[in-house]
Amino acid sequence: MKANYYFTIRSIVALVLGVLLVVWPDAAINYLVITVGVLFFVPGVLSLAGYFGHKGKDVSRSALFPVAGVGSLLLGLWLMVMPAFFVNILMYVLGFVLLLGGIQQIVFLVSARKHAAVSAGFYVVPVLLLAAGFVVLLNPFDVASAAFVVLGISCIVYAGSELFNGFRFRKRDDAGADLEV
């Protein structure tokens, strides 16, 4: 039976990722920041290795010291060593942006009342934005964890859907063998 069950592999990966995100959302946040740190660290190391590896070999080339490479290396190292610090900063920035967005929309609606009737329903979203901003600012790490739980649940639902659709709608050739979905 010639079968390409790539959907099964996708489903298994999504299911494992989803379960990990639901069970350990706090660890997932930190590992995401650490991964971003690695993505900064490695190019920084390569930049410095390239600079010191070519120094003295090519006299005609006047290479400047790779300041961006050092910056990338140090930022990556900092992200890997202190991931919770960056998660909190990011969440505080998000909370502040939500507050500003809510305030801006309320100010706009108040000024729009001079030109047209604005019903109370228009204020629902700006007030929700303000509330969300306050919640994020008062409890940033739990909000980040909740976002990862939602992402994990979404991955689990995707995995189930992918498996169901893959098995339900797989194509068959004339001889009855399964083909790629």
Side-chain angles (χ1 to χ4, degrees):
M1 218 165 132
K2 293 181 181 179
N4 291 320
Y5 289 101
Y6 293 121
F7 65 91
T8 306
I9 295 169
R10 288 191 304 264
S11 299
I12 291 169
V13 170
L15 182 63
V16 169
L17 179 63
V19 169
L20 291 175
L21 289 173
V22 169
V23 175
W24 295 297
D26 295 335
I29 295 166
N30 288 330
Y31 286 125
L32 177 66
V33 173
I34 290 169
T35 301
V36 171
V38 169
L39 293 174
F40 276 101
F41 183 78
V42 170
V45 168
L46 294 175
S47 173
L48 287 174
Y51 174 77
F52 288 115
H54 291 298
K55 188 130 173 110
K57 291 182 181 177
D58 190 3
V59 181
S60 65
R61 190 175 77 108
S62 61
L64 297 174
F65 187 75
V67 176
V70 170
S72 178
L73 182 135
L74 292 175
L75 177 62
L77 192 60
W78 194 11
L79 286 165
M80 290 186 294
V81 172
M82 299 175 61
F85 173 75
F86 286 95
V87 170
N88 283 334
I89 286 177
L90 179 64
M91 295 312 292
Y92 282 118
V93 169
L94 175 62
F96 186 69
V97 166
L98 288 170
L99 280 176
L100 287 178
I103 291 169
Q104 184 272 332
Q105 285 188 1
I106 289 172
V107 167
F108 173 77
L109 290 171
V110 168
S111 67
R113 287 177 46 192
K114 296 175 187 174
H115 307 291
V118 178
S119 69
F122 285 100
Y123 289 94
V124 171
V125 172
V127 169
L128 289 175
L129 284 173
L130 280 173
F134 281 122
V135 168
V136 170
L137 289 174
L138 295 176
N139 206 354
F141 207 73
D142 285 343
V143 171
S145 295
F148 274 86
V149 169
V150 169
L151 180 62
I153 291 169
S154 299
C155 286
I156 292 169
V157 169
Y158 167 77
S161 174
E162 182 77 6
L163 273 175
F164 176 78
N165 291 339
F167 283 115
R168 174 71 175 95
F169 299 110
R170 69 178 181 258
K171 297 177 185 174
R172 296 184 178 268
D173 66 6
D174 293 335
D178 293 333
L179 295 175
E180 184 177 351
V181 177

